[in-house]
Every structure is written in C-alpha cells, then in structure tokens.
Amino acid sequence: MEIKGTGHFVPEKILDNHYFASILDTSDEWITERTGIKERRVCDPDKGEFPSYMAEMAAKRALAAANLEANDIDLILFSITIPDMFFPNTSSVLQARLGMTNQCPCLDISAACSGYLYGLTIANSLIETGTYQNILLIGCEMTSRFNNWEDRNTCILFGDGCGATILGPSTNGPSKMLASQLSSDSSKREALILYAGAAQKPITEEVLKNKEQYVTMDGQQVFKAAVKTLAANCENVLKTAELNHEQIDWFIPHQANLRIIEAVAHRFKFPAEKCIINVQKYANTSSASIPIALDEAIRAGKIQRGQNLLMAAFGAGLTAGAAILKY
Ligand code: ACO
C-alpha cells in the first residue's frame, strides 16, 4: 500500500488561549505550560461548516495531489466521533458532496482519536488483498460540538479539523505498511466519555441541565494511560517491523498534548527535529490530527519518499494504535 495523495482543511475561525482566559478561570500560561496549545480552529455552523464540509475540502486537496478524480475512489473510510447526523453515515454525505456517481461503498469508523490508524490498517488489508484500488481515508472531527464551553478542564484541549489521505497499491517501489497494532482497553472506557445524546440517554431537559451532552474526562488517568500505551505500542511496531528507533525518519503522534508527545519521544530518543508537531496551532483534533500533521509535513517537503514514518494514536475507548509506513 502507498499514500497517493494527502490534503487537509481547518476552519478559518481561530480561538486563542486569551479567548478562554476572557471567559473562564484560566490563562494562556496555564494552557501553554500544561498542554503546549496556543490556539485552535472552530467551525462556523452558520456558514455551513460541518464535518462533511471539512471532509469535502480536504478530500478535494488530496484528490488533486493524487491526480485523481472523485469517481476514481472505490471506497470511502471516514473516521468520525460526532457525525453530521446519525444516519446516513457521513461518508455517504461526503460521496454526494464530491459529486460521485459510482456508488462506491461508504463506511464510517468510530474509534475516537485512534480512528485514522484503525482506518489505515483496514485500508492496508483491503488494498493488499486486491479488493480496492483507491481508498479515500478521512479523519475528521467537529470537536466544538462536544465541548462544554464552561468546563476549563476539557474545552481548552480540542479543535476542529479534517485530514484526507488517498491510499492504493504500491507503484513506488518500497512504499509499504511495515507494521501496525490496534487495541482498546475498555476497562478505562469511563475516563473519556460522552454520556448523552444517543440511544442509551436521549437528550432531555435533565440531560441538558446536567450538561451530559458534553465530553467528560479524567485528565490525569487519560494522561497516564496515553503515555504508557503509546510507548508500548511504538515499541511493539518497531519490533514487528524489525527496525530500531534510529531507522525511524519521522514520528507523527496524535496531537493531544505536547507533554504526552514529549514523554513518548523521550522514551525512544527521538530528537525534536524528528517529531511532527502542530498541536500548538490546532489543539486536539481527534482522529484528524495525524492526517493533518502528515499532510502539512508532506507539503512542507519534510517527508520524502522512502522514509519510515511512525504514527501513534490514543483516544476514547480507550482505543490506541500505532503503525510504521514506508512512505
Ligand atoms: N486552567 C487553569 N486551571 C485548570 C485548567 C485550566 N484550563 N484545567 C484544570 N485546571 C486546574 C484543575 O482544576 C486543578 O485545580 P485544583 O488543583 O484546584 O483541583 C489543577 O488545575 C490541576 O489539574 P490537573 O488535572 O492535575 O492538571 P494536569 O497537569 O493533569 O493537566 C490536563 C490537565 C491538561 C487535562 C492533563 O491531565 C492532560 O492533558 N490529560 C490528557 C488529556 C487528553 O489528552 N485528553 C484527550 C486524549 S484522548 C483524545 O485525544 C480524545
């Protein structure tokens, strides 16, 4: 499998840390020191900015980079936690937005921040068995919809955005997925959870009063589990790929918190120059964070063909994933 093209989209509207300091008991210093985040993007629903809109923009950029037309896509995989609507799935909405007429299958993936790596692993299997030739993989999230804007523990952490990647059989010699590992530790599923708004707990006045329609998180538990699991998964994929840390050209982690990234990078002795980091600009965009970082680094000319990319993610579930891809 190879990456044929990438693209990303983030909304224009920027909320910096000073904005949160003006509405909550927080400060730019606290947020920067604890998370590395300086600003994040948020959709403007009045302008029609929803997940499928961001995905359309990102997908068009990826199609142009891959030199393909929308109807060349034979499968859409769409990682998303809060979709445009419960059904139809957002991948089908995207198919319509792209003007596709080939009736290709459309599948949404719900694995929170790890969803892009879940999608990458599924895509690899489907491509290596010859089932599909041009898979459009989307990682997209409108986190501003699950944010409790009165909760300083969570709302400062997230941002909206979308990354798109087009995957197909290798035409470029060494391009290959060298290893991947996915997991989910459901014993910690309550550490990061959105209780209401679906079948178990529909929206009621009581739910709205208790603000259960928003994300709740045990930050310290998530932090500790993230560092431990990311490090273990990176170790495992390095072993499977029979590579040592020096043979990794780029580390592209899920952009949740700079301290989490630094703790994992330190463990593997990855110097700062080897880590792709943009959490300061976009905050945590959930499953969009790796494909956005990947696209930015490719477009900046940092990532070159033949290099080994290590990607690792972690999110609600608690899901996790790591993969090594020769680009
Ligand atoms: N501004 C000021 N003070 C704050 C803020 C804020 N924005 N948020 C929390 N505090 C306060 C707390 O109330 C607490 O005050 P107290 O001591 O009076 O009770 C104090 O700061 C310390 O809180 P901690 O939770 O101990 O702070 P910590 O250093 O753990 O940082 C943070 C909190 C940033 C949330 C950290 O735990 C973290 O990053 N966890 C991982 C979260 C994460 O990445 N989640 C998403 C990953 S999964 C996914 O991507 C979906």
Side-chain angles (χ1 to χ4, degrees), residues 156-170:
I156 52 123
L157 295 174
F158 297 99
D160 298 341
C162 179
T165 308
I166 296 171
L167 302 153
S170 288

mmCIF file with all atom_site columns, all heavy atoms in Angstrom, residues 156-170:
data_model
loop_
_atom_site.group_PDB
_atom_site.id
_atom_site.type_symbol
_atom_site.label_atom_id
_atom_site.label_alt_id
_atom_site.label_comp_id
_atom_site.label_asym_id
_atom_site.label_entity_id
_atom_site.label_seq_id
_atom_site.pdbx_PDB_ins_code
_atom_site.Cartn_x
_atom_site.Cartn_y
_atom_site.Cartn_z
_atom_site.occupancy
_atom_site.B_iso_or_equiv
_atom_site.pdbx_formal_charge
_atom_site.auth_seq_id
_atom_site.auth_comp_id
_atom_site.auth_asym_id
_atom_site.auth_atom_id
_atom_site.pdbx_PDB_model_num
ATOM 1  N N   . ILE A 1 156 ? -10.514 23.657 26.615 1.00 0.00 ? 156 ILE A N   1
ATOM 2  C CA  . ILE A 1 156 ? -9.287  24.269 26.076 1.00 0.00 ? 156 ILE A CA  1
ATOM 3  C C   . ILE A 1 156 ? -8.479  23.285 25.230 1.00 0.00 ? 156 ILE A C   1
ATOM 4  O O   . ILE A 1 156 ? -7.544  23.671 24.538 1.00 0.00 ? 156 ILE A O   1
ATOM 5  C CB  . ILE A 1 156 ? -8.397  24.793 27.227 1.00 0.00 ? 156 ILE A CB  1
ATOM 6  C CG1 . ILE A 1 156 ? -8.170  23.663 28.264 1.00 0.00 ? 156 ILE A CG1 1
ATOM 7  C CG2 . ILE A 1 156 ? -9.031  25.974 27.932 1.00 0.00 ? 156 ILE A CG2 1
ATOM 8  C CD1 . ILE A 1 156 ? -6.772  23.336 28.514 1.00 0.00 ? 156 ILE A CD1 1
ATOM 9  N N   . LEU A 1 157 ? -8.844  21.997 25.297 1.00 0.00 ? 157 LEU A N   1
ATOM 10 C CA  . LEU A 1 157 ? -7.992  20.960 24.705 1.00 0.00 ? 157 LEU A CA  1
ATOM 11 C C   . LEU A 1 157 ? -8.259  20.683 23.228 1.00 0.00 ? 157 LEU A C   1
ATOM 12 O O   . LEU A 1 157 ? -7.402  20.149 22.541 1.00 0.00 ? 157 LEU A O   1
ATOM 13 C CB  . LEU A 1 157 ? -8.184  19.628 25.457 1.00 0.00 ? 157 LEU A CB  1
ATOM 14 C CG  . LEU A 1 157 ? -7.751  19.572 26.919 1.00 0.00 ? 157 LEU A CG  1
ATOM 15 C CD1 . LEU A 1 157 ? -8.161  18.242 27.530 1.00 0.00 ? 157 LEU A CD1 1
ATOM 16 C CD2 . LEU A 1 157 ? -6.250  19.765 27.039 1.00 0.00 ? 157 LEU A CD2 1
ATOM 17 N N   . PHE A 1 158 ? -9.471  21.018 22.758 1.00 0.00 ? 158 PHE A N   1
ATOM 18 C CA  . PHE A 1 158 ? -9.886  20.480 21.458 1.00 0.00 ? 158 PHE A CA  1
ATOM 19 C C   . PHE A 1 158 ? -10.024 21.534 20.361 1.00 0.00 ? 158 PHE A C   1
ATOM 20 O O   . PHE A 1 158 ? -10.240 22.717 20.639 1.00 0.00 ? 158 PHE A O   1
ATOM 21 C CB  . PHE A 1 158 ? -11.215 19.731 21.619 1.00 0.00 ? 158 PHE A CB  1
ATOM 22 C CG  . PHE A 1 158 ? -11.114 18.542 22.535 1.00 0.00 ? 158 PHE A CG  1
ATOM 23 C CD1 . PHE A 1 158 ? -11.525 18.612 23.858 1.00 0.00 ? 158 PHE A CD1 1
ATOM 24 C CD2 . PHE A 1 158 ? -10.572 17.349 22.077 1.00 0.00 ? 158 PHE A CD2 1
ATOM 25 C CE1 . PHE A 1 158 ? -11.421 17.513 24.703 1.00 0.00 ? 158 PHE A CE1 1
ATOM 26 C CE2 . PHE A 1 158 ? -10.457 16.248 22.920 1.00 0.00 ? 158 PHE A CE2 1
ATOM 27 C CZ  . PHE A 1 158 ? -10.884 16.326 24.238 1.00 0.00 ? 158 PHE A CZ  1
ATOM 28 N N   . GLY A 1 159 ? -9.950  21.064 19.110 1.00 0.00 ? 159 GLY A N   1
ATOM 29 C CA  . GLY A 1 159 ? -10.128 21.938 17.944 1.00 0.00 ? 159 GLY A CA  1
ATOM 30 C C   . GLY A 1 159 ? -10.748 21.156 16.806 1.00 0.00 ? 159 GLY A C   1
ATOM 31 O O   . GLY A 1 159 ? -10.732 19.918 16.801 1.00 0.00 ? 159 GLY A O   1
ATOM 32 N N   . ASP A 1 160 ? -11.311 21.870 15.826 1.00 0.00 ? 160 ASP A N   1
ATOM 33 C CA  . ASP A 1 160 ? -11.963 21.226 14.673 1.00 0.00 ? 160 ASP A CA  1
ATOM 34 C C   . ASP A 1 160 ? -10.983 21.115 13.505 1.00 0.00 ? 160 ASP A C   1
ATOM 35 O O   . ASP A 1 160 ? -10.138 21.994 13.307 1.00 0.00 ? 160 ASP A O   1
ATOM 36 C CB  . ASP A 1 160 ? -13.164 22.065 14.206 1.00 0.00 ? 160 ASP A CB  1
ATOM 37 C CG  . ASP A 1 160 ? -14.235 22.200 15.281 1.00 0.00 ? 160 ASP A CG  1
ATOM 38 O OD1 . ASP A 1 160 ? -14.241 21.384 16.218 1.00 0.00 ? 160 ASP A OD1 1
ATOM 39 O OD2 . ASP A 1 160 ? -15.061 23.125 15.170 1.00 0.00 ? 160 ASP A OD2 1
ATOM 40 N N   . GLY A 1 161 ? -11.127 20.074 12.694 1.00 0.00 ? 161 GLY A N   1
ATOM 41 C CA  . GLY A 1 161 ? -10.282 19.944 11.504 1.00 0.00 ? 161 GLY A CA  1
ATOM 42 C C   . GLY A 1 161 ? -10.487 18.622 10.811 1.00 0.00 ? 161 GLY A C   1
ATOM 43 O O   . GLY A 1 161 ? -11.225 17.753 11.298 1.00 0.00 ? 161 GLY A O   1
ATOM 44 N N   . CYS A 1 162 ? -9.849  18.485 9.665  1.00 0.00 ? 162 CYS A N   1
ATOM 45 C CA  . CYS A 1 162 ? -10.002 17.263 8.871  1.00 0.00 ? 162 CYS A CA  1
ATOM 46 C C   . CYS A 1 162 ? -8.744  16.983 8.062  1.00 0.00 ? 162 CYS A C   1
ATOM 47 O O   . CYS A 1 162 ? -8.136  17.905 7.512  1.00 0.00 ? 162 CYS A O   1
ATOM 48 C CB  . CYS A 1 162 ? -11.185 17.430 7.913  1.00 0.00 ? 162 CYS A CB  1
ATOM 49 S SG  . CYS A 1 162 ? -11.423 15.982 6.869  1.00 0.00 ? 162 CYS A SG  1
ATOM 50 N N   . GLY A 1 163 ? -8.369  15.708 7.985  1.00 0.00 ? 163 GLY A N   1
ATOM 51 C CA  . GLY A 1 163 ? -7.267  15.286 7.127  1.00 0.00 ? 163 GLY A CA  1
ATOM 52 C C   . GLY A 1 163 ? -7.754  14.197 6.195  1.00 0.00 ? 163 GLY A C   1
ATOM 53 O O   . GLY A 1 163 ? -8.578  13.361 6.582  1.00 0.00 ? 163 GLY A O   1
ATOM 54 N N   . ALA A 1 164 ? -7.272  14.211 4.951  1.00 0.00 ? 164 ALA A N   1
ATOM 55 C CA  . ALA A 1 164 ? -7.678  13.200 3.953  1.00 0.00 ? 164 ALA A CA  1
ATOM 56 C C   . ALA A 1 164 ? -6.438  12.553 3.357  1.00 0.00 ? 164 ALA A C   1
ATOM 57 O O   . ALA A 1 164 ? -5.432  13.234 3.128  1.00 0.00 ? 164 ALA A O   1
ATOM 58 C CB  . ALA A 1 164 ? -8.496  13.860 2.854  1.00 0.00 ? 164 ALA A CB  1
ATOM 59 N N   . THR A 1 165 ? -6.531  11.250 3.131  1.00 0.00 ? 165 THR A N   1
ATOM 60 C CA  . THR A 1 165 ? -5.406  10.511 2.551  1.00 0.00 ? 165 THR A CA  1
ATOM 61 C C   . THR A 1 165 ? -5.966  9.558  1.504  1.00 0.00 ? 165 THR A C   1
ATOM 62 O O   . THR A 1 165 ? -6.981  8.897  1.758  1.00 0.00 ? 165 THR A O   1
ATOM 63 C CB  . THR A 1 165 ? -4.690  9.683  3.643  1.00 0.00 ? 165 THR A CB  1
ATOM 64 O OG1 . THR A 1 165 ? -4.376  10.535 4.748  1.00 0.00 ? 165 THR A OG1 1
ATOM 65 C CG2 . THR A 1 165 ? -3.397  9.065  3.136  1.00 0.00 ? 165 THR A CG2 1
ATOM 66 N N   . ILE A 1 166 ? -5.320  9.496  0.353  1.00 0.00 ? 166 ILE A N   1
ATOM 67 C CA  . ILE A 1 166 ? -5.742  8.515  -0.661 1.00 0.00 ? 166 ILE A CA  1
ATOM 68 C C   . ILE A 1 166 ? -4.703  7.410  -0.727 1.00 0.00 ? 166 ILE A C   1
ATOM 69 O O   . ILE A 1 166 ? -3.494  7.676  -0.827 1.00 0.00 ? 166 ILE A O   1
ATOM 70 C CB  . ILE A 1 166 ? -5.947  9.191  -2.023 1.00 0.00 ? 166 ILE A CB  1
ATOM 71 C CG1 . ILE A 1 166 ? -7.111  10.177 -1.871 1.00 0.00 ? 166 ILE A CG1 1
ATOM 72 C CG2 . ILE A 1 166 ? -6.263  8.156  -3.110 1.00 0.00 ? 166 ILE A CG2 1
ATOM 73 C CD1 . ILE A 1 166 ? -7.332  11.076 -3.033 1.00 0.00 ? 166 ILE A CD1 1
ATOM 74 N N   . LEU A 1 167 ? -5.197  6.186  -0.598 1.00 0.00 ? 167 LEU A N   1
ATOM 75 C CA  . LEU A 1 167 ? -4.323  5.013  -0.485 1.00 0.00 ? 167 LEU A CA  1
ATOM 76 C C   . LEU A 1 167 ? -4.593  4.039  -1.618 1.00 0.00 ? 167 LEU A C   1
ATOM 77 O O   . LEU A 1 167 ? -5.745  3.846  -2.020 1.00 0.00 ? 167 LEU A O   1
ATOM 78 C CB  . LEU A 1 167 ? -4.601  4.327  0.862  1.00 0.00 ? 167 LEU A CB  1
ATOM 79 C CG  . LEU A 1 167 ? -4.383  5.233  2.074  1.00 0.00 ? 167 LEU A CG  1
ATOM 80 C CD1 . LEU A 1 167 ? -5.244  4.803  3.246  1.00 0.00 ? 167 LEU A CD1 1
ATOM 81 C CD2 . LEU A 1 167 ? -2.918  5.265  2.460  1.00 0.00 ? 167 LEU A CD2 1
ATOM 82 N N   . GLY A 1 168 ? -3.526  3.427  -2.126 1.00 0.00 ? 168 GLY A N   1
ATOM 83 C CA  . GLY A 1 168 ? -3.686  2.443  -3.198 1.00 0.00 ? 168 GLY A CA  1
ATOM 84 C C   . GLY A 1 168 ? -2.520  1.484  -3.202 1.00 0.00 ? 168 GLY A C   1
ATOM 85 O O   . GLY A 1 168 ? -1.619  1.584  -2.360 1.00 0.00 ? 168 GLY A O   1
ATOM 86 N N   . PRO A 1 169 ? -2.513  0.542  -4.163 1.00 0.00 ? 169 PRO A N   1
ATOM 87 C CA  . PRO A 1 169 ? -1.403  -0.402 -4.239 1.00 0.00 ? 169 PRO A CA  1
ATOM 88 C C   . PRO A 1 169 ? -0.095  0.333  -4.543 1.00 0.00 ? 169 PRO A C   1
ATOM 89 O O   . PRO A 1 169 ? -0.113  1.367  -5.201 1.00 0.00 ? 169 PRO A O   1
ATOM 90 C CB  . PRO A 1 169 ? -1.789  -1.306 -5.424 1.00 0.00 ? 169 PRO A CB  1
ATOM 91 C CG  . PRO A 1 169 ? -3.229  -1.044 -5.682 1.00 0.00 ? 169 PRO A CG  1
ATOM 92 C CD  . PRO A 1 169 ? -3.525  0.326  -5.204 1.00 0.00 ? 169 PRO A CD  1
ATOM 93 N N   . SER A 1 170 ? 1.006   -0.207 -4.084 1.00 0.00 ? 170 SER A N   1
ATOM 94 C CA  . SER A 1 170 ? 2.308   0.457  -4.283 1.00 0.00 ? 170 SER A CA  1
ATOM 95 C C   . SER A 1 170 ? 2.711   0.459  -5.747 1.00 0.00 ? 170 SER A C   1
ATOM 96 O O   . SER A 1 170 ? 2.734   -0.587 -6.394 1.00 0.00 ? 170 SER A O   1
ATOM 97 C CB  . SER A 1 170 ? 3.397   -0.277 -3.500 1.00 0.00 ? 170 SER A CB  1
ATOM 98 O OG  . SER A 1 170 ? 3.223   -0.025 -2.160 1.00 0.00 ? 170 SER A OG  1
#
